Amino acid sequence: MLIVGLGMIGGSLAAALKASAYQGRVLACDRDPEEIAKGLEMGVIDAGGPELETWVAQSDIVVLAVPVLAMASVFERLAGCLGERILTDVGSTKGVVCEAAAQAFGALPTRFVPGHPIAGSEKSGVAAANPALYRRHKVILTPQPEADRDAVDQVRALWQGCGAEVLEMSVARHDQVLARTSHLPHMLAFSLVDTLARQDERLEIFRYAAGGFRDFTRIAGSDPVMWRDIFCANREALLGALDEFEAGLSRLRRAVEQGDSDAMLGTFDRASHARHHFETLLNQTSYQTMEARQVQYEVSPGGAVNGRIRVPGDKSISHRSIMLGALANGVTEVKGFLEGEDSLATLQAFRDMGVAIEGPYQGRVTIHGVGLHGLTKPAGPIYVGNSGTAMRLFAGLLAGQEFDTELTGDASLTKRPMARVADPLRLMGARIDTAEGGRPPLKIHGGQPLKGIDYDMPMASAQVKSCLLLAGLYAKGETRVREPAPTRDHTERMLNGFGYPVAREGDLAKLQGGGALTSAPIDVPSDISSATFFLVAAAITPGSDLVLEHVGVNPTRIGVINILKQMGADLRLENPREVGGEPVADLHIRHAPLKGIDIPVDQVPLAIDEFPALFVAAANAEGTTRLRGAEELRVKESDRIKAMADGLEILGVETTVYPDGIDVVGKGGDQPNYGGGQVDSLGDHRIAMAFTVAALRASAPIVIDDCANVATSFPGFVDLANRVGLTLVQTTR
Ligand code: S3P
């Protein structure tokens, strides 16, 4: 391997190779004999010198690590001696490098693999070489389509050997992305510092510059020659990025001039949240990929559950509070909002569509509604993460907009069925494209006139019902949705609370299109689905006595209460009250022996999210618990029948699986009811939390894999679980 240009970047590559399993010799060519001598002394290179041709002749791979504008002359000299060797470079712009190579060689050599490690330091020279510089950093390769794949693979392996993550993209895309994420910020920093410095020749002003100035301008201390070269090399893309920036700055200037506080808030909120969530955002919208978080729970066996706690806000109501608040006229104040990843994805989506939203600050959110027709086209696809509710409700809402949108989600959501909403929306006149098998992403074409339909839902789904009611707001005439069994009615209640009449006639919910929503305050109760894990924990564990405060007990959500009571649980609803149109109570539960039951089919939709935990209750009850009519469980965040059966089997619990349900055989009694073991949550938050609770009655620790998604619905779960008496350790890799 020959490194041409032994500076900090080339030297770090040499040092990283030496520290890795790389077997070959590392050679270097540099005009400066002192750099070569230093490299030899440091032991990062085996040999080197100033004459290019001599060293090329001894190498198989040539890495060009000279400044971007010096590359053209090196290419000229390489043209005569490179032969079939692999050539790569580390230049931070790729268009000019490729042009220079094409000019020198007549055409781009097929064994040329342009590259750019996204790593650096303000230091220079081989003395600053750092073997860890590329570890866990991205390296972008921009090979032309005709490139020799073997050469690409070898260059990829080289960087991976240094611990880097390697990505491929086109030259043009690389230069545009870097213009925005690196070159423009450098330009702004240089320009701001220069402007201030000119105004104050003696630089007095900098004495008073505290954190903001320091943070914003750190990169203005970078190497001027290098940045001059980069700006010359990436001129077009940089100017394009600058145009966009200037337009944004003018908008903000106008808002400040006119005292338009909504516009200012909108900009700052979007930016502030984009900044906080930028890792997630980058994951979806740019060249970076976030490292998957591997979160594991290890739960010790035994313990009892005691205390008074409040679990986070209801997920379903939190989603709807943002949606209806954004579509209303006026300002909506929400408290108790669930700051989980799912509902935050909904919030971010509305910011992306131009809605000013303040917060969340400790569950408080202020939404500056834009009215039913005030949303604006988002800049890119709307990413809703793990959330089926967000995707399905958005599908209805977006079908009524004037602009096109695309809805995307994570790997789990991408497997979930969306035809259940796309089909009836098409009957209403929507134009929606799905991926194969009716899966996400959903491409929704705007500007389609919608008309009300009379729809019999084939499955009991509040998401489908809500989707159609939201589309119905934009439809001509009446939208009527009939459900085969009652499902959660938060959408209907909240629409009525916002002054938009939704009528109920038996199994039918209906509304007229063309009205308007008026903002109203929302107090989100605690989520009964989150409370369930602690209800079951207390119910199955001798010595437990627990109060869960302020839990939503909407009649369409209390299947878990009915089922646990039928199993013999000592569960009382205390202090019942109504808060903002939703019934709420404190749930007081004490341990009592449970017995297996046949779960009444009419309770299934009312407890649809609670079954993972209920199966754990069943594993601790005396006798068999039978569930049928629950095929919907197979298309939740995971196939919850299979996920629970597989995990319970590992613990030694007997189950029989059916297409639409499961039998769980429990032993009852006060002894541990099963063993420990390592189970897989399949990235499903509720499976992870259900097995956590199961450990209370296990004879050995339960280790649960893939628990990061607990953050979608229950931020703070680990702390709360430990607070009430579980012993749970979370590790992150
Ligand atoms: C939800 C409805 C349910 C539920 C989901 C939230 C909602 O899904 O499982 O967690 O907020 O409308 P289905 O309506 O698809 O059963």
Side-chain angles (χ1 to χ4, degrees):
M1 147 106 32
L2 172 64
I3 296 172
V4 182
L6 194 63
M8 190 275 297
I9 290 284
S12 295
L13 173 59
L17 288 173
K18 283 285 169 201
S20 77
Y22 183 70
Q23 299 286 328
R25 288 185 1 121
V26 180
L27 312 176
C29 173
D30 198 288
R31 283 194 310 207
D32 184 349
E34 281 183 21
E35 293 289 308
I36 297 289
K38 184 78 194 162
L40 286 167
E41 181 195 317
M42 292 167 69
V44 298
I45 57 169
D46 296 297
E51 324 77 31
L52 184 66
E53 290 74 9
T54 317
W55 296 104
V56 169
Q58 298 183 42
S59 67
D60 303 310
I61 300 187
V62 178
V63 183
L64 224 55
V66 299
V68 171
L69 294 189
M71 286 199 187
S73 65
V74 185
F75 283 136
E76 298 289 346
R77 290 176 55 198
L78 281 173
C81 63
L82 185 69
E84 284 307 294
R85 291 177 184 84
I86 294 174
L87 175 62
T88 182
D89 76 304
V90 297
S92 38
T93 69
K94 302 278 45 116
V96 281
V97 171
C98 289
E99 268 168 40
Q103 191 149 21
F105 287 89
L108 271 191
T110 54
R111 286 167 78 75
F112 174 41
V113 184
H116 176 198
I118 315 277
S121 142
E122 65 287 354
K123 303 189 194 116
S124 53
V126 68
N130 169 9
L133 185 68
Y134 305 114
R135 207 175 290 155
R136 295 215 208 95
H137 278 73
K138 312 265 181 309
V139 172
I140 301 176
L141 303 182
T142 62
Q144 54 176 335
E146 304 76 38
D148 179 333
R149 280 321 296 185
D150 168 59
V152 178
D153 290 345
Q154 288 204 44
V155 174
R156 174 182 283 272
L158 181 86
W159 285 112
Q160 284 169 337
C162 301
E165 185 192 334
V166 182
L167 312 159
E168 277 183 43
M169 65 175 69
S170 71
V171 169
R173 169 110 175 105
H174 169 276
D175 285 358
Q176 278 162 6
V177 167
L178 268 291
R180 287 170 176 78
T181 56
S182 168
H183 308 169
L184 179 64
H186 277 85
M187 180 183 238
L188 303 183
F190 281 129
S191 169
L192 176 65
V193 177
D194 179 50
T195 307
L196 296 185
R198 277 169 196 254
Q199 286 166 5
D200 180 2
E201 293 295 342
R202 291 178 47 232
L203 307 181
E204 274 291 299
I205 192 172
F206 293 149
R207 283 185 184 204
Y208 311 107
F213 178 82
R214 195 175 48 228
D215 290 348
F216 186 79
T217 59
R218 179 180 60 81
I219 50 180
S222 305
D223 181 352
V225 175
M226 181 175 104
W227 281 97
R228 190 264 329 262
D229 286 4
I230 291 173
F231 286 9
C232 291
N234 202 22
R235 194 177 65 175
E236 294 309 317
L238 175 59
L239 292 178
L242 187 60
D243 286 345
E244 289 164 6
F245 178 75
E246 282 180 344
L249 199 58
S250 310
R251 276 196 300 275
L252 194 51
R253 189 199 155 95
R254 250 190 327 274
V256 175
E257 237 165 39
Q258 296 167 357
D260 183 345
S261 84
D262 272 7
M264 283 187 261
L265 256 180
T267 307
F268 301 156
D269 267 317
R270 268 195 309 280
S272 147
H273 285 268
R275 186 67 182 81
H276 287 127
H277 295 286
F278 100 112
E279 297 212 308
T280 322
L281 284 176
L282 287 178
N283 186 23
Q284 299 311 318
T285 58
S286 92
Y287 61 94
Q288 301 217 26
T289 51
M290 199 168 66
E291 279 169 49
R293 292 165 302 158
Q294 277 309 332
V295 175
Q296 195 178 59
Y297 289 172
E298 181 168 346
V299 201
S300 304
V305 175
N306 285 286
R308 252 190 117 81
I309 56 171
R310 185 159 172 168
V311 299
D314 187 281
K315 181 152 72 76
S316 294
I317 299 177
S318 294
H319 279 298
R320 288 158 171 85
S321 70
I322 301 291
M323 293 186 172
L324 298 196
L327 298 180
N329 299 317
V331 175
T332 294
E333 303 278 356
V334 183
K335 58 182 193 185
F337 179 77
L338 168 66
E339 297 183 38
E341 288 174 2
D342 278 11
S343 37
L344 288 172
T346 290
L347 192 151
Q348 184 62 40
F350 280 101
R351 287 200 167 114
D352 292 346
M353 291 190 282
V355 181
I357 304 176
E358 296 170 62
Y361 308 110
Q362 297 183 335
R364 288 182 178 269
V365 181
T366 304
I367 309 155
H368 298 253
V370 294
L372 274 175
H373 300 282
L375 299 177
T376 54
K377 184 175 167 55
I382 294 176
Y383 176 71
V384 294
N386 194 245
S387 178
T389 306
M391 185 165 283
R392 297 195 177 115
L393 270 57
F394 268 126
L397 192 161
L398 294 172
Q401 305 302 321
E402 286 303 312
F403 47 84
D404 296 350
T405 38
E406 181 173 345
L407 285 166
T408 66
D410 71 4
S412 148
L413 186 56
T414 302
K415 291 190 210 124
R416 296 180 65 187
M418 293 297 148
R420 55 178 60 197
V421 289
D423 288 344
L425 286 172
R426 287 182 189 123
L427 295 176
M428 295 179 78
R431 270 187 61 212
I432 300 180
D433 306 328
T434 65
E436 217 181 297
R439 314 276 155 192
L442 298 183
K443 291 203 171 106
I444 302 173
H445 300 267
Q448 309 298 316
L450 301 184
K451 58 177 191 305
I453 53 167
D454 192 333
Y455 190 65
D456 284 346
M457 284 197 295
M459 72 291 286
S461 167
Q463 294 179 356
V464 176
K465 173 177 64 175
S466 302
C467 162
L468 299 181
L469 292 176
L470 290 174
L473 301 175
Y474 293 91
K476 202 160 168 246
E478 194 172 54
T479 298
R480 301 159 65 92
V481 189
R482 203 167 284 105
E483 47 190 9
T487 67
R488 66 193 68 192
D489 61 359
H490 307 301
T491 307
E492 298 92 301
R493 282 177 189 251
M494 207 183 284
L495 278 169
N496 280 322
F498 276 63
Y500 202 113
V502 185
R504 191 82 221 190
E505 265 170 32
D507 56 3
L508 182 73
K510 57 179 188 175
L511 58 71
Q512 282 285 343
L517 280 71
T518 309
S519 58
I522 297 175
D523 185 346
V524 182
S526 290
D527 198 328
I528 191 167
S529 300
S530 299
T532 291
F533 299 103
F534 292 108
L535 288 178
V536 169
I540 63 174
T541 314
S544 295
D545 185 342
L546 185 72
V547 177
L548 292 140
E549 294 174 350
H550 201 76
V551 178
V553 287
N554 179 312
T556 60
R557 295 287 296 280
I558 54 169
V560 61
I561 294 178
N562 301 335
I563 293 167
L564 281 176
K565 279 189 173 166
Q566 206 177 326
M567 293 174 83
D570 177 358
L571 169 55
R572 266 163 251 225
L573 272 63
E574 294 171 353
N575 192 14
R577 56 212 181 265
E578 187 161 308
V579 180
E582 290 279 350
V584 168
D586 301 331
L587 305 184
H588 189 171
I589 183 145
R590 278 184 279 237
H591 169 258
L594 301 182
K595 60 179 191 306
I597 60 165
D598 288 355
I599 294 173
V601 179
D602 64 357
Q603 295 300 308
V604 171
L606 310 185
I608 193 68
D609 291 337
E610 285 62 83
F611 286 109
L614 283 169
F615 297 163
V616 172
N620 289 285
E622 189 176 337
T624 302
T625 296
R626 294 182 193 83
L627 171 70
R628 297 292 181 277
E631 50 280 277
E632 278 294 300
L633 290 184
R634 297 217 177 255
V635 290
K636 294 294 179 189
E637 286 83 328
S638 68
D639 174 344
R640 286 184 173 159
I641 293 176
K642 182 169 168 9
M644 286 305 297
D646 289 351
L648 287 171
E649 190 188 312
I650 289 169
L651 304 184
V653 177
E654 192 187 325
T655 61
T656 311
V657 162
Y658 298 87
D660 65 338
I662 190 170
D663 290 350
V664 180
V665 184
K667 286 205 202 104
D670 282 357
Q671 297 307 308
N673 276 327
Y674 34 77
Q678 185 159 357
V679 300
D680 190 350
S681 79
L682 300 173
D684 183 333
H685 54 140
R686 300 203 196 280
I687 304 295
M689 290 186 276
F691 280 115
T692 302
V693 164
L696 286 162
R697 299 297 309 278
S699 59
I702 299 183
V703 174
I704 310 159
D705 288 333
D706 208 357
C707 297
N709 279 338
V710 167
T712 61
S713 69
F714 203 145
F717 172 71
V718 173
D719 287 347
L720 207 52
N722 280 308
R723 175 133 70 89
V724 294
L726 284 102
T727 309
L728 162 53
V729 177
Q730 168 177 319
T731 52
T732 306
R733 267 186 293 129

Short mmCIF file of all heavy atoms in Angstrom, two decimals, residues 505-549:
data_model
loop_
_atom_site.label_atom_id
_atom_site.label_comp_id
_atom_site.label_asym_id
_atom_site.label_seq_id
_atom_site.Cartn_x
_atom_site.Cartn_y
_atom_site.Cartn_z
N GLU A 505 -74.07 5.85 16.00
CA GLU A 505 -75.36 5.13 15.98
C GLU A 505 -75.03 3.67 16.07
O GLU A 505 -74.62 3.07 15.08
CB GLU A 505 -76.05 5.36 14.62
CG GLU A 505 -77.05 6.47 14.58
CD GLU A 505 -77.49 6.76 13.13
OE1 GLU A 505 -77.52 5.80 12.31
OE2 GLU A 505 -77.77 7.93 12.84
N GLY A 506 -75.12 3.09 17.23
CA GLY A 506 -74.74 1.69 17.40
C GLY A 506 -73.29 1.48 17.00
O GLY A 506 -72.38 2.11 17.53
N ASP A 507 -73.10 0.61 16.00
CA ASP A 507 -71.72 0.30 15.59
C ASP A 507 -71.19 1.27 14.53
O ASP A 507 -70.16 1.04 13.92
CB ASP A 507 -71.63 -1.15 15.08
CG ASP A 507 -72.62 -1.41 13.94
OD1 ASP A 507 -73.31 -0.46 13.51
OD2 ASP A 507 -72.68 -2.56 13.48
N LEU A 508 -71.92 2.37 14.30
CA LEU A 508 -71.57 3.29 13.22
C LEU A 508 -71.06 4.63 13.78
O LEU A 508 -71.64 5.19 14.70
CB LEU A 508 -72.84 3.55 12.40
CG LEU A 508 -72.71 4.46 11.18
CD1 LEU A 508 -71.97 3.74 10.06
CD2 LEU A 508 -74.10 4.88 10.69
N ALA A 509 -69.92 5.10 13.20
CA ALA A 509 -69.45 6.45 13.51
C ALA A 509 -69.51 7.25 12.22
O ALA A 509 -69.12 6.75 11.16
CB ALA A 509 -68.02 6.43 14.04
N LYS A 510 -70.04 8.47 12.27
CA LYS A 510 -70.18 9.23 11.02
C LYS A 510 -69.94 10.71 11.22
O LYS A 510 -70.20 11.26 12.29
CB LYS A 510 -71.56 8.97 10.40
CG LYS A 510 -72.70 9.30 11.31
CD LYS A 510 -74.02 9.04 10.62
CE LYS A 510 -75.15 9.57 11.51
NZ LYS A 510 -76.46 9.49 10.94
N LEU A 511 -69.43 11.33 10.17
CA LEU A 511 -69.26 12.79 10.21
C LEU A 511 -69.42 13.36 8.81
O LEU A 511 -69.27 12.67 7.81
CB LEU A 511 -67.90 13.18 10.82
CG LEU A 511 -66.59 12.70 10.21
CD1 LEU A 511 -66.25 13.35 8.90
CD2 LEU A 511 -65.46 13.03 11.21
N GLN A 512 -69.74 14.65 8.77
CA GLN A 512 -69.87 15.40 7.51
C GLN A 512 -68.55 16.10 7.22
O GLN A 512 -67.95 16.66 8.13
CB GLN A 512 -70.93 16.50 7.67
CG GLN A 512 -72.36 16.05 7.61
CD GLN A 512 -72.82 15.72 6.19
OE1 GLN A 512 -72.18 16.12 5.21
NE2 GLN A 512 -73.92 14.97 6.08
N GLY A 513 -68.12 16.08 5.97
CA GLY A 513 -66.90 16.80 5.61
C GLY A 513 -67.13 18.30 5.58
O GLY A 513 -68.27 18.77 5.66
N GLY A 514 -66.01 19.03 5.49
CA GLY A 514 -66.12 20.46 5.21
C GLY A 514 -66.29 21.36 6.40
O GLY A 514 -66.48 22.56 6.24
N GLY A 515 -66.22 20.84 7.62
CA GLY A 515 -66.36 21.69 8.80
C GLY A 515 -65.03 22.28 9.22
O GLY A 515 -64.08 22.36 8.43
N ALA A 516 -64.95 22.69 10.49
CA ALA A 516 -63.70 23.26 11.01
C ALA A 516 -63.53 22.82 12.45
O ALA A 516 -64.51 22.55 13.15
CB ALA A 516 -63.73 24.78 10.92
N LEU A 517 -62.28 22.74 12.89
CA LEU A 517 -61.98 22.37 14.27
C LEU A 517 -61.56 23.62 15.03
O LEU A 517 -60.84 24.46 14.49
CB LEU A 517 -60.80 21.39 14.34
CG LEU A 517 -61.06 19.92 14.06
CD1 LEU A 517 -61.34 19.67 12.59
CD2 LEU A 517 -59.86 19.08 14.48
N THR A 518 -62.01 23.70 16.27
CA THR A 518 -61.61 24.83 17.12
C THR A 518 -60.78 24.29 18.26
O THR A 518 -61.18 23.32 18.91
CB THR A 518 -62.87 25.52 17.69
OG1 THR A 518 -63.75 25.78 16.59
CG2 THR A 518 -62.51 26.81 18.38
N SER A 519 -59.65 24.91 18.52
CA SER A 519 -58.73 24.37 19.52
C SER A 519 -59.40 24.24 20.88
O SER A 519 -60.31 25.01 21.21
CB SER A 519 -57.50 25.26 19.62
OG SER A 519 -57.92 26.56 19.96
N ALA A 520 -58.91 23.26 21.66
CA ALA A 520 -59.43 23.05 23.01
C ALA A 520 -58.30 22.44 23.82
O ALA A 520 -57.49 21.70 23.27
CB ALA A 520 -60.63 22.10 22.96
N PRO A 521 -58.26 22.73 25.13
CA PRO A 521 -57.18 22.16 25.94
C PRO A 521 -57.31 20.65 26.07
O PRO A 521 -58.43 20.12 26.08
CB PRO A 521 -57.35 22.84 27.31
CG PRO A 521 -58.71 23.42 27.30
CD PRO A 521 -59.15 23.60 25.89
N ILE A 522 -56.19 19.96 26.16
CA ILE A 522 -56.21 18.50 26.27
C ILE A 522 -55.36 18.07 27.46
O ILE A 522 -54.21 18.48 27.59
CB ILE A 522 -55.68 17.83 24.99
CG1 ILE A 522 -56.58 18.18 23.81
CG2 ILE A 522 -55.60 16.33 25.16
CD1 ILE A 522 -56.08 17.69 22.49
N ASP A 523 -55.97 17.23 28.31
CA ASP A 523 -55.23 16.67 29.44
C ASP A 523 -55.12 15.18 29.17
O ASP A 523 -56.11 14.46 29.24
CB ASP A 523 -56.03 16.95 30.73
CG ASP A 523 -55.29 16.52 31.97
OD1 ASP A 523 -54.29 15.78 31.85
OD2 ASP A 523 -55.72 16.93 33.07
N VAL A 524 -53.93 14.72 28.82
CA VAL A 524 -53.77 13.31 28.43
C VAL A 524 -53.64 12.46 29.68
O VAL A 524 -52.74 12.67 30.50
CB VAL A 524 -52.49 13.13 27.56
CG1 VAL A 524 -52.37 11.68 27.11
CG2 VAL A 524 -52.50 14.08 26.37
N PRO A 525 -54.54 11.48 29.87
CA PRO A 525 -54.40 10.61 31.04
C PRO A 525 -53.23 9.64 30.87
O PRO A 525 -52.71 9.48 29.76
CB PRO A 525 -55.73 9.85 31.07
CG PRO A 525 -56.30 9.95 29.71
CD PRO A 525 -55.69 11.15 29.04
N SER A 526 -52.84 8.98 31.94
CA SER A 526 -51.80 7.95 31.84
C SER A 526 -52.33 6.81 30.99
O SER A 526 -53.52 6.53 30.94
CB SER A 526 -51.46 7.42 33.22
OG SER A 526 -50.78 8.39 33.94
N ASP A 527 -51.39 6.14 30.33
CA ASP A 527 -51.76 5.12 29.35
C ASP A 527 -52.07 3.80 30.04
O ASP A 527 -51.20 3.20 30.69
CB ASP A 527 -50.59 4.94 28.37
CG ASP A 527 -51.04 4.24 27.09
OD1 ASP A 527 -51.96 3.40 27.17
OD2 ASP A 527 -50.47 4.54 26.03
N ILE A 528 -53.29 3.33 29.90
CA ILE A 528 -53.67 2.06 30.53
C ILE A 528 -52.83 0.91 29.95
O ILE A 528 -52.55 -0.07 30.64
CB ILE A 528 -55.19 1.79 30.39
CG1 ILE A 528 -55.59 0.61 31.27
CG2 ILE A 528 -55.58 1.55 28.94
CD1 ILE A 528 -57.08 0.43 31.45
N SER A 529 -52.37 1.07 28.72
CA SER A 529 -51.54 0.02 28.12
C SER A 529 -50.19 -0.05 28.81
O SER A 529 -49.61 -1.13 28.95
CB SER A 529 -51.36 0.28 26.62
OG SER A 529 -52.61 0.30 25.98
N SER A 530 -49.66 1.09 29.24
CA SER A 530 -48.39 1.08 29.99
C SER A 530 -48.64 0.64 31.42
O SER A 530 -47.83 -0.09 32.01
CB SER A 530 -47.76 2.48 29.97
OG SER A 530 -47.47 2.85 28.64
N ALA A 531 -49.77 1.09 31.99
CA ALA A 531 -50.11 0.70 33.37
C ALA A 531 -50.23 -0.81 33.49
O ALA A 531 -49.92 -1.41 34.53
CB ALA A 531 -51.42 1.36 33.79
N THR A 532 -50.67 -1.46 32.39
CA THR A 532 -50.91 -2.90 32.41
C THR A 532 -49.72 -3.71 32.91
O THR A 532 -49.88 -4.68 33.63
CB THR A 532 -51.28 -3.36 30.98
OG1 THR A 532 -52.56 -2.82 30.70
CG2 THR A 532 -51.33 -4.86 30.86
N PHE A 533 -48.50 -3.30 32.51
CA PHE A 533 -47.33 -4.09 32.93
C PHE A 533 -47.23 -4.11 34.44
O PHE A 533 -46.89 -5.13 35.04
CB PHE A 533 -46.06 -3.53 32.27
CG PHE A 533 -46.16 -3.60 30.78
CD1 PHE A 533 -46.43 -2.47 30.02
CD2 PHE A 533 -46.07 -4.82 30.12
CE1 PHE A 533 -46.59 -2.55 28.65
CE2 PHE A 533 -46.22 -4.91 28.75
CZ PHE A 533 -46.49 -3.77 28.02
N PHE A 534 -47.56 -2.99 35.08
CA PHE A 534 -47.47 -2.94 36.54
C PHE A 534 -48.70 -3.56 37.19
O PHE A 534 -48.62 -4.10 38.29
CB PHE A 534 -47.24 -1.50 36.99
CG PHE A 534 -45.87 -1.02 36.57
CD1 PHE A 534 -45.72 -0.09 35.56
CD2 PHE A 534 -44.74 -1.56 37.15
CE1 PHE A 534 -44.45 0.33 35.16
CE2 PHE A 534 -43.46 -1.16 36.75
CZ PHE A 534 -43.31 -0.21 35.75
N LEU A 535 -49.85 -3.49 36.51
CA LEU A 535 -51.03 -4.20 37.04
C LEU A 535 -50.73 -5.68 37.13
O LEU A 535 -50.98 -6.34 38.13
CB LEU A 535 -52.25 -3.98 36.12
CG LEU A 535 -52.90 -2.61 36.10
CD1 LEU A 535 -54.05 -2.59 35.09
CD2 LEU A 535 -53.42 -2.25 37.50
N VAL A 536 -50.17 -6.22 36.04
CA VAL A 536 -49.87 -7.66 36.01
C VAL A 536 -48.76 -7.97 37.02
O VAL A 536 -48.83 -8.95 37.75
CB VAL A 536 -49.48 -8.11 34.58
CG1 VAL A 536 -48.92 -9.52 34.59
CG2 VAL A 536 -50.70 -8.02 33.66
N ALA A 537 -47.76 -7.09 37.09
CA ALA A 537 -46.65 -7.31 38.04
C ALA A 537 -47.20 -7.48 39.45
O ALA A 537 -46.83 -8.42 40.16
CB ALA A 537 -45.68 -6.14 37.98
N ALA A 538 -48.08 -6.57 39.85
CA ALA A 538 -48.63 -6.64 41.21
C ALA A 538 -49.57 -7.83 41.36
O ALA A 538 -49.57 -8.50 42.39
CB ALA A 538 -49.35 -5.34 41.54
N ALA A 539 -50.35 -8.09 40.32
CA ALA A 539 -51.34 -9.16 40.41
C ALA A 539 -50.68 -10.52 40.63
O ALA A 539 -51.21 -11.37 41.35
CB ALA A 539 -52.20 -9.20 39.14
N ILE A 540 -49.52 -10.74 40.04
CA ILE A 540 -48.92 -12.09 40.09
C ILE A 540 -47.93 -12.28 41.24
O ILE A 540 -47.45 -13.38 41.45
CB ILE A 540 -48.19 -12.43 38.76
CG1 ILE A 540 -47.01 -11.48 38.51
CG2 ILE A 540 -49.16 -12.46 37.59
CD1 ILE A 540 -46.16 -11.85 37.28
N THR A 541 -47.62 -11.19 41.98
CA THR A 541 -46.50 -11.29 42.92
C THR A 541 -46.96 -11.14 44.36
O THR A 541 -47.42 -10.05 44.76
CB THR A 541 -45.47 -10.20 42.61
OG1 THR A 541 -45.24 -10.20 41.20
CG2 THR A 541 -44.16 -10.48 43.31
N PRO A 542 -46.83 -12.20 45.18
CA PRO A 542 -47.23 -12.11 46.58
C PRO A 542 -46.54 -10.93 47.26
O PRO A 542 -45.38 -10.63 47.00
CB PRO A 542 -46.73 -13.44 47.18
CG PRO A 542 -46.68 -14.38 46.01
CD PRO A 542 -46.34 -13.55 44.82
N GLY A 543 -47.30 -10.23 48.11
CA GLY A 543 -46.74 -9.10 48.86
C GLY A 543 -46.86 -7.79 48.11
O GLY A 543 -46.34 -6.77 48.57
N SER A 544 -47.53 -7.78 46.97
CA SER A 544 -47.61 -6.54 46.18
C SER A 544 -48.85 -5.72 46.53
O SER A 544 -49.93 -6.28 46.78
CB SER A 544 -47.65 -6.87 44.68
OG SER A 544 -46.46 -7.47 44.30
N ASP A 545 -48.67 -4.41 46.48
CA ASP A 545 -49.78 -3.47 46.73
C ASP A 545 -49.40 -2.17 46.03
O ASP A 545 -48.47 -1.48 46.46
CB ASP A 545 -49.94 -3.26 48.25
CG ASP A 545 -51.16 -2.39 48.57
OD1 ASP A 545 -51.66 -1.70 47.66
OD2 ASP A 545 -51.60 -2.42 49.73
N LEU A 546 -50.08 -1.83 44.95
CA LEU A 546 -49.62 -0.75 44.08
C LEU A 546 -50.79 0.13 43.65
O LEU A 546 -51.87 -0.38 43.35
CB LEU A 546 -48.98 -1.38 42.83
CG LEU A 546 -48.31 -0.43 41.84
CD1 LEU A 546 -47.00 0.11 42.41
CD2 LEU A 546 -48.01 -1.16 40.53
N VAL A 547 -50.56 1.44 43.61
CA VAL A 547 -51.58 2.35 43.06
C VAL A 547 -50.99 3.02 41.81
O VAL A 547 -49.89 3.55 41.83
CB VAL A 547 -51.99 3.43 44.08
CG1 VAL A 547 -52.99 4.40 43.45
CG2 VAL A 547 -52.58 2.79 45.33
N LEU A 548 -51.76 2.97 40.73
CA LEU A 548 -51.38 3.64 39.49
C LEU A 548 -52.32 4.82 39.33
O LEU A 548 -53.54 4.64 39.21
CB LEU A 548 -51.51 2.67 38.31
CG LEU A 548 -50.47 1.55 38.37
CD1 LEU A 548 -51.06 0.23 37.97
CD2 LEU A 548 -49.29 1.90 37.50
N GLU A 549 -51.76 6.02 39.36
CA GLU A 549 -52.60 7.22 39.40
C GLU A 549 -53.00 7.71 38.01
O GLU A 549 -52.24 7.57 37.05
CB GLU A 549 -51.83 8.36 40.08
CG GLU A 549 -51.55 8.10 41.55
CD GLU A 549 -50.65 9.17 42.15
OE1 GLU A 549 -50.08 9.99 41.40
OE2 GLU A 549 -50.51 9.16 43.38
#
